[in-house]
Amino acid sequence: MSDALDKAEAAAREAAVNTAAVQIALAAVELAKAAQQQPAQQHACEHQHKQGRSTGEWLGIACAVCVGSVGLAFASIAIAIAACCATGCFLILRSIWQSTLKGK
């Protein structure tokens, strides 16, 4: 009976070793599956980012450009008016200065 008990114990150890080996193999297979799925998911995300702009984004950009150009036009007009006023003031002051020098 001790031989039968020894054989059963050896079979149990072998089954335990085989079970551990099978578990390691299954874990490796699962890891390989996860590694293959991860780049595919990243590729899908990259593909989404490479798509063109939506209509709403283009309308927003167009509105921003229009508002910016109108603001630039008003700023240019304001600078032109200020330059004309400064020139007029300079000419008036020059005229006053020359008439003051002639009077002495």
Side-chain angles (χ1 to χ4, degrees), residues 34-58:
Q36 287 177 353
Q37 289 175 354
Q38 189 174 13
Q41 291 173 353
Q42 288 177 352
H43 178 68
C45 292
E46 290 172 2
H47 181 67
Q48 289 176 353
H49 290 294
K50 289 182 182 178
Q51 291 177 348
R53 297 186 189 272
S54 67
T55 305
E57 289 175 328
W58 282 115

Side-chain angles (χ1 to χ4, degrees), residues 13 15-16 23-25 31 36 38 40 54 65-67 83 86 88 90 93 99 102:
R13 283 186 194 145
Q23 288 176 351
I24 291 172
L31 183 62
Q36 287 177 353
Q38 189 174 13
S54 67
V65 169
C66 288
V67 169
F90 175 73
L93 289 174
S99 65
K102 286 182 185 177

Side-chain angles (χ1 to χ4, degrees), residues 58-93:
W58 282 115
L59 287 175
I61 291 169
C63 289
V65 169
C66 288
V67 169
S69 62
V70 168
L72 185 62
F74 279 131
S76 299
I77 291 170
I79 290 171
I81 291 172
C84 289
C85 292
T87 303
C89 289
F90 175 73
L91 291 174
I92 292 169
L93 289 174

